[in-house]
Amino acid sequence: MPSILETYEATHGRSKALAARAARVFPSGVTHDARAFFPFQIYVDRAEGGRKWDVDGNEYVDFIGGHGALLLGHNRPEVMAAAAEAMARGTHFGSSHDLEIEWGQQVIDMVPCAERVRFTSSGTEATMMALRLARAY
């Protein structure tokens, strides 16, 4: 009877090969430490709803959900339609636009104590900004 490790390696051959390639490109072989799995990470090929499939055809329930960003699942039709409509206007303006005001107002409407909002690129950036604000106060 094969061990769990042997079974994993036997059913994830393409992921194993991609992990070997990635080890030559990225420190620790991954672009984010949360993806560092033993003996190697899986490589996803596609996702739909709450499921995803790796490059070897194995199906998974997606408990990661884009680290919280995909609460509605992958490729939800109304989300895809809204994204396509927004992308038709442009993909990265690098300037202010009306939709950011609407988005900010929605946040204020949903968070009763919020008077104004600041968008950041990451949780790390938000934390660093909060620390600077606390120090200044």
Side-chain angles (χ1 to χ4, degrees):
M1 176 179 228
S3 70
I4 292 172
L5 182 59
E6 290 168 334
T7 301
Y8 181 82
E9 289 183 350
T11 57
H12 297 86
R14 291 182 65 200
S15 283
K16 184 176 181 178
L18 288 170
R21 277 183 59 199
R24 295 187 301 271
V25 177
F26 306 116
S28 303
V30 292
T31 56
H32 191 287
D33 287 340
R35 296 185 188 115
F37 287 62
F38 176 82
F40 53 85
Q41 65 279 14
I42 64 163
Y43 280 82
V44 174
D45 180 55
R46 65 185 181 87
E48 185 70 35
R51 303 203 174 266
K52 60 186 175 185
W53 291 262
D54 68 16
V55 295
D56 296 289
N58 300 300
E59 181 180 348
Y60 305 89
V61 173
D62 185 7
F63 289 110
I64 297 172
H67 304 281
L70 300 174
L71 293 174
L72 301 177
H74 298 273
N75 300 326
R76 180 100 176 212
E78 60 270 36
V79 174
M80 297 299 289
E85 182 181 327
M87 288 191 311
R89 292 182 62 185
T91 55
H92 191 298
F93 299 137
S95 300
S96 298
H97 56 91
D98 62 318
L99 294 178
E100 68 186 8
I101 299 169
E102 290 182 34
W103 182 21
Q105 188 62 55
Q106 284 182 2
V107 172
I108 290 170
D109 293 345
M110 292 187 307
V111 181
C113 64
E115 297 174 6
R116 291 191 280 173
V117 298
R118 168 76 70 188
F119 296 124
T120 62
S121 297
S122 68
T124 301
E125 182 183 354
T127 300
M128 291 177 3
M129 206 176 278
L131 288 171
R132 284 194 298 272
L133 180 63
R135 286 182 184 140
Y137 178 77

